[in-house]
Amino acid sequence: MEFLYSLPFFTTVQIYRKEHLKHHSHLGKPGKDKLLTDYEKFGFSTPGANYFWLWFIKPVVGYAGWFYLQKLTLKPFRYSGLKIALFWTLILTCFTIFNLAHILLLYWIIPMLWCHYSFLYWSEVSDHFNTRTGTRSNLNRYINLITYNNGYHYMHHKYPTIPWFKLPTSYKELCDGEGDISYGFLDTYKQMKSGEAMTS
């Protein structure tokens, strides 16, 4: 099903799996966990950083799209790049033939570069930045409803084999109250800004 949830975002399951497993194996380790490097590039690790600018403004003025666009790759071409190239050649050809390239641009490419990458930026930062335990969970029920329980991030790191649909009940049974806990976008911002936690 990768053509539905991976290739449209210019990546493959193989690329994502490799990067994600590395993140799990080296969580919070300088030089090994790429998220720490990303936080530095975003500006969150800079002393006296303006968190309001970094959290609310910077991602939506184009920075997030520019940053993540640079991370796209066709390597290894034989296993992943070829899939991406063939998928997008087919998509572009079909939309061009039917004179719908403007629809693809307005309703997929621009939203991906602006909205999708802004949401990815917020997710990457909120999951681990400035936490006491290394991982933050967002237990807002509405956010978890539309993100397939992505907010149960502490649970995901502690028990990565538990499927998304079992995360809420498993969290209550196995680690209720553990990890850093947020209940929404503004709550996460307040936690990061508070200075009470150490950068993970």
Side-chain angles (χ1 to χ4, degrees), residues 95-163:
F95 274 83
T96 302
I97 289 174
F98 292 102
N99 198 28
L100 295 172
H102 62 291
I103 298 296
L104 181 66
L105 177 66
L106 290 174
Y107 292 97
W108 187 257
I109 302 300
I110 291 176
M112 184 184 75
L113 293 175
W114 185 30
C115 304
H116 167 68
Y117 286 136
S118 292
F119 284 120
L120 180 60
Y121 173 101
W122 286 319
S123 176
E124 297 281 272
V125 174
S126 65
D127 286 344
H128 300 287
F129 179 73
N130 214 17
T131 57
R132 291 180 291 271
T133 61
T135 306
R136 178 182 289 107
S137 294
N138 186 334
L139 301 185
N140 182 294
R141 67 174 64 185
Y142 301 109
I143 289 176
N144 282 298
L145 178 65
I146 63 175
T147 63
Y148 299 94
N149 298 321
N150 187 57
Y152 291 90
H153 207 69
Y154 179 85
M155 183 75 185
H156 169 66
H157 271 272
K158 192 168 184 180
Y159 303 102
T161 58
I162 295 177

Side-chain angles (χ1 to χ4, degrees), residues 6-137:
S6 186
L7 294 174
F9 296 94
F10 297 91
T11 189
T12 64
V13 172
Q14 181 187 38
I15 291 173
Y16 179 78
R17 182 183 291 127
K18 181 179 179 180
E19 182 179 311
H20 196 64
L21 288 175
K22 188 178 292 185
H23 165 63
H24 272 253
S25 300
H26 303 294
L27 178 63
K29 296 177 182 176
K32 292 186 177 182
D33 187 354
K34 289 186 178 180
L35 274 186
L36 299 183
T37 304
D38 288 352
Y39 296 159
E40 290 178 11
K41 291 179 179 178
F42 293 165
F44 280 93
S45 301
T46 305
N50 183 340
Y51 283 2
F52 183 87
W53 159 257
L54 295 174
W55 188 243
F56 293 102
I57 311 298
K58 191 172 185 177
V60 297
V61 293
Y63 175 81
W66 172 81
F67 179 81
Y68 288 111
L69 198 59
Q70 294 180 88
K71 288 193 162 197
L72 298 181
T73 181
L74 292 179
K75 297 178 181 179
F77 187 78
R78 182 178 176 184
Y79 300 103
S80 294
L82 183 59
K83 283 184 186 179
I84 297 169
L86 289 175
F87 175 84
W88 276 101
T89 298
L90 177 63
I91 293 295
L92 291 172
T93 300
C94 289
F95 274 83
T96 302
I97 289 174
F98 292 102
N99 198 28
L100 295 172
H102 62 291
I103 298 296
L104 181 66
L105 177 66
L106 290 174
Y107 292 97
W108 187 257
I109 302 300
I110 291 176
M112 184 184 75
L113 293 175
W114 185 30
C115 304
H116 167 68
Y117 286 136
S118 292
F119 284 120
L120 180 60
Y121 173 101
W122 286 319
S123 176
E124 297 281 272
V125 174
S126 65
D127 286 344
H128 300 287
F129 179 73
N130 214 17
T131 57
R132 291 180 291 271
T133 61
T135 306
R136 178 182 289 107
S137 294

Side-chain angles (χ1 to χ4, degrees), residues 182-199:
S182 168
Y183 291 96
F185 188 75
L186 292 176
D187 192 21
T188 299
Y189 169 69
K190 290 175 184 176
Q191 289 182 20
M192 293 190 303
K193 190 181 176 185
S194 70
E196 295 175 357
M198 299 296 293
T199 304

